[in-house]
Amino acid sequence: MHPESHALLATTAWWLGWFYAAVAALNAGAAVWAARRHAWLRAAAWSAWGAGLAAAAWFSLAGHPPQLPEPFKQACDDLLGPVTFTAGALGLLAVGYVLRRWLVVPAVAWLLLNVSLVWLGLSLSDAHFAAIVARPDNVPIVAMVYLLGFFTWAGTYQAVENDRRLARGQGPVEADYRDEVLVWPDVIYLELIGAILATVVLIVWSLLLRAPLEQPANPAVTPNPAKAPWYFLGLQELLVYFPPWLAGVILPALMILGLMAIPYLDFNPRGNGYYTIAQRRFAYLTFQFGFLGLWVLLILIGTFLRGPNWSFFGFYEAHDAQKMADMTNVSLAELFWVTALGRELPQVTASHGMLVELGQIAWREAPGLAALGLYYVALPWLLARTLLQGLAAKLGRTRYGVLTLLLLTMLALPLKMILVWTVHLSYVVNIPEYFFYF
Amino acid sequence: MPQQDQGVCACARTAGAAAPAPVDARRRGILKIVLGSSLGVGLALLGAIGGLWSAALARFMMPNVTTEPNRRFRVGFARDYPLGRVETKFKDRFGVWIVHQTYRGQAQIYALRTVCTHLGCITIWQESEQKFKCPCHGSGFHRDGTNFEGPAPRPLERYAIRIADDGQLEVDRSRVFQRELGQWDDPASFVRG
């Protein structure tokens, strides 16, 4: 291990000690809570786990935080690539959906929270991991991940409970709520407590984490890596795969317009005012895929896994500006004409007039144009006659068209990402003569 | 009495309706003139001030002193650039690399613009890997400016370059040559090395 990582470890060990102590205290609380409900087995499990964490806290405060074995870190870095990360995360979302009845059991959720916190603590003893995750810019994003996890869990918990009740023929939990709540004192007290807590968090945050100020701006120098603010990192990550006019203008506009179109596309009256998954399966899955599976996932990739030169780095990998990432791009036209058919790329000559040139370009880009036509026209047509027959009949032609356009565009993002990573596809339609790329 | 009263009232009403009307109209007319003219004066003033501001703004756009470097500048003699050289010392001030490289079987010295053709970040010359690399989205360019990795859709651009009267190379940043438009065949875009 390098000497500087020893120095870094000494400063992080103190933090880690208090972190483990806090998690141990949380588990002690959980044990007391379980004991008061006479769940003796769970109380014993949480107190034993808490005792182990207290020991970890003791060792960390003494300067020897527990560490992950090097082979494990190496295996993680070797395994973690853009494809495995994206496919794995989407797979985890799918597993979470299938196993949701089991995941919402509080003991299971508590166990998962513990596992993730301990993994975070163990990983923070790694200098490379800590350099990224404990950066003042990135700490709020770690907090956001946990907040997102909690709210997703809380929503799923209520939805699963409601689905159970609805399956038994009862009304949802929300139907039993009283219609009226007193503003004074109920709501005002809650708001006051919320305001005080938010102020305390902001003060502690600003005292503990230094603002990441940098040198005065110099138009001749772009920092490496140049990262957008965290909430735009998803869009910046999209710009790696799509041309600027698409990733910077069309796709964000489609996101906003698509969200605005939801009330016109989704006229399912069920689920109004209460949590449910079973009654709104399609809407639920689409939202989770679009929000967690694309928006949040892209932000996480951009924040934690992108380093100098916008190369992809594993969790425990050094962010080395010289990392070789060999990916020579090919357009779909080159893949089709040169690689598949073994011929030359059709020539485009500007000397015979514009019409001839456009015709030559269309012939060269025929595979890309055909692929786009198949994807956006033939696929919806085919789906309307097979898989989505009921939906197409219910929605009518216009609404079905808008819905499939939005859905296929959403699906196109991970598809294009995987094509870029695997076959190094640059653009499906590539017309540099007229600055048009798709 | 009541009838008389009514008569008086009716009389007054007709008189009131007939006689004061022109007075009222005159008053309103005066009011209109005053209001209208002050509105006119106000609008004229507003227009004048706006015009002055616009003129001041236009003047502001042409400062007396600029710290920007000249659009034309000299970068030394062709013999200072051996074949295969990527000169980075003009990047910070002028945003340009001077490269001596074989392009289409011909040794050329050309001035590459440092701006990435994807979204305009300033690219970095990586000596160890012999490529220009963009720190924003990972685009990579060969030494001749060809885009080969990442999302950049077209090659880096060239500035005009020529041999000046004193024999030095002179770069002119007011003219840009794009390869995808066939402009790199223009002899103004390179100097034979």
Side-chain angles (χ1 to χ4, degrees), chain B residues 14-96:
Chain B
T14 46
V23 179
D24 224 30
R26 231 184 301 134
R27 275 190 193 149
R28 280 192 197 139
I30 290 166
L31 216 64
K32 266 181 197 163
I33 292 165
V34 173
L35 265 184
S37 63
S38 73
L39 202 69
V41 170
L43 279 175
L45 268 175
L46 201 71
I49 293 171
L52 274 175
W53 271 104
S54 307
L57 195 71
R59 179 69 187 83
F60 189 70
M61 293 293 168
M62 292 170 281
N64 293 337
V65 179
T66 60
T67 52
E68 280 172 31
N70 278 337
R71 286 178 165 262
R72 286 172 183 221
F73 54 95
R74 294 182 184 182
V75 293
F77 295 95
R79 61 173 180 271
D80 300 339
Y81 298 94
L83 190 66
R85 174 77 172 267
V86 176
E87 182 54 67
T88 58
K89 72 180 173 191
F90 302 105
K91 182 190 162 189
D92 282 355
R93 187 156 157 70
F94 298 106
V96 66

Side-chain angles (χ1 to χ4, degrees), chain A residues 384-395:
Chain A
R385 269 146 196 81
T386 53
L387 208 62
L388 299 180
Q389 205 166 13
L391 193 74
K394 206 166 71 181
L395 285 177

Side-chain angles (χ1 to χ4, degrees), chain A residues 222 236 309 322 327 329 427, chain B residues 122 126 128-129 148-151:
Chain A
T222 306
Q236 185 173 2
N309 301 329
Q322 306 298 327
M327 45 185 285
N329 282 337
Y427 294 117
Chain B
I122 305 297
Q126 289 193 320
S128 60
E129 291 171 40
F148 74 100
E149 64 180 0

Side-chain angles (χ1 to χ4, degrees), chain B:
Chain B
M1 284 298 281
Q3 273 191 343
Q4 243 181 344
D5 265 349
Q6 276 183 346
V8 170
C9 275
C11 198
R13 221 186 287 150
T14 46
V23 179
D24 224 30
R26 231 184 301 134
R27 275 190 193 149
R28 280 192 197 139
I30 290 166
L31 216 64
K32 266 181 197 163
I33 292 165
V34 173
L35 265 184
S37 63
S38 73
L39 202 69
V41 170
L43 279 175
L45 268 175
L46 201 71
I49 293 171
L52 274 175
W53 271 104
S54 307
L57 195 71
R59 179 69 187 83
F60 189 70
M61 293 293 168
M62 292 170 281
N64 293 337
V65 179
T66 60
T67 52
E68 280 172 31
N70 278 337
R71 286 178 165 262
R72 286 172 183 221
F73 54 95
R74 294 182 184 182
V75 293
F77 295 95
R79 61 173 180 271
D80 300 339
Y81 298 94
L83 190 66
R85 174 77 172 267
V86 176
E87 182 54 67
T88 58
K89 72 180 173 191
F90 302 105
K91 182 190 162 189
D92 282 355
R93 187 156 157 70
F94 298 106
V96 66
W97 286 297
I98 311 296
V99 186
H100 189 179
Q101 168 77 15
T102 311
Y103 178 71
R104 288 191 181 158
Q106 184 187 43
Q108 296 184 347
I109 297 177
Y110 47 83
L112 278 182
R113 198 174 168 220
T114 55
V115 175
C116 178
T117 51
H118 178 227
L119 273 182
C121 290
I122 305 297
T123 50
I124 299 163
W125 168 246
Q126 289 193 320
E127 187 68 41
S128 60
E129 291 171 40
Q130 293 289 306
K131 65 182 178 189
F132 302 105
K133 193 77 182 154
C134 178
C136 289
H137 306 93
S139 295
F141 303 88
H142 286 309
R143 213 202 300 237
D144 62 4
T146 311
N147 51 319
F148 74 100
E149 64 180 0
R154 55 197 184 85
L156 292 173
E157 292 166 1
R158 282 186 187 181
Y159 283 131
I161 191 169
R162 69 185 188 104
I163 293 179
D165 312 335
D166 60 353
Q168 284 199 62
L169 295 169
E170 187 185 71
V171 178
D172 180 2
R173 296 198 306 157
S174 58
R175 287 179 74 192
V176 172
F177 298 88
Q178 298 175 329
R179 194 185 72 183
E180 69 279 4
L181 300 180
Q183 292 169 341
W184 282 14
D185 299 328
D186 190 328
S189 72
F190 60 88
V191 164
R192 285 189 190 202

Side-chain angles (χ1 to χ4, degrees), chain A residues 185-351:
Chain A
D186 299 353
V187 179
I188 299 290
Y189 268 31
L190 275 177
E191 284 176 350
L192 185 69
I193 294 168
I196 292 173
L197 280 181
T199 313
V200 168
V201 167
L202 277 178
I203 289 175
V204 171
W205 181 352
S206 52
L207 284 176
L208 290 184
L209 295 174
R210 300 270 165 87
L213 293 179
E214 290 174 23
Q215 288 168 356
N218 177 356
V221 175
T222 306
N224 190 12
K227 286 198 181 187
W230 65 268
Y231 41 85
F232 279 150
L233 274 175
L235 285 178
Q236 185 173 2
E237 184 64 22
L238 275 189
L239 279 163
V240 177
Y241 313 103
F242 293 95
W245 67 273
L246 199 59
V249 182
I250 303 287
L251 288 178
L254 263 186
M255 285 175 205
I256 294 166
L257 289 177
L259 288 171
M260 285 162 69
I262 287 178
Y264 302 96
L265 298 174
D266 177 12
F267 44 83
N268 178 2
R270 293 186 295 177
N272 270 354
Y274 58 92
Y275 288 89
T276 175
I277 292 174
Q279 292 186 348
R280 307 182 58 82
R281 211 178 291 271
F282 183 76
Y284 174 82
L285 284 175
T286 310
F287 175 78
Q288 293 297 59
F289 171 67
F291 182 62
L292 292 181
L294 292 178
W295 188 249
V296 175
L297 190 76
L298 285 172
I299 287 180
L300 293 184
I301 292 179
T303 308
F304 296 117
L305 303 173
R306 291 294 191 174
N309 301 329
W310 213 250
S311 300
F312 193 94
F313 292 92
F315 281 126
Y316 309 108
E317 212 173 333
H319 278 213
D320 177 12
Q322 306 298 327
K323 178 178 178 175
M324 280 290 278
D326 189 39
M327 45 185 285
T328 302
N329 282 337
V330 281
S331 68
L332 192 70
E334 284 167 328
L335 272 179
F336 178 79
W337 294 110
V338 183
T339 314
L341 295 186
R343 291 164 54 171
E344 289 254 313
L345 206 60
Q347 287 294 312
V348 173
T349 45
S351 52

Side-chain angles (χ1 to χ4, degrees), chain A residues 84-107:
Chain A
T84 48
F85 185 77
T86 312
L90 291 176
L92 270 183
L93 269 180
V95 169
Y97 170 75
V98 174
L99 298 179
R100 62 185 185 279
R101 281 177 202 83
W102 180 75
L103 273 178
V104 295
V105 176

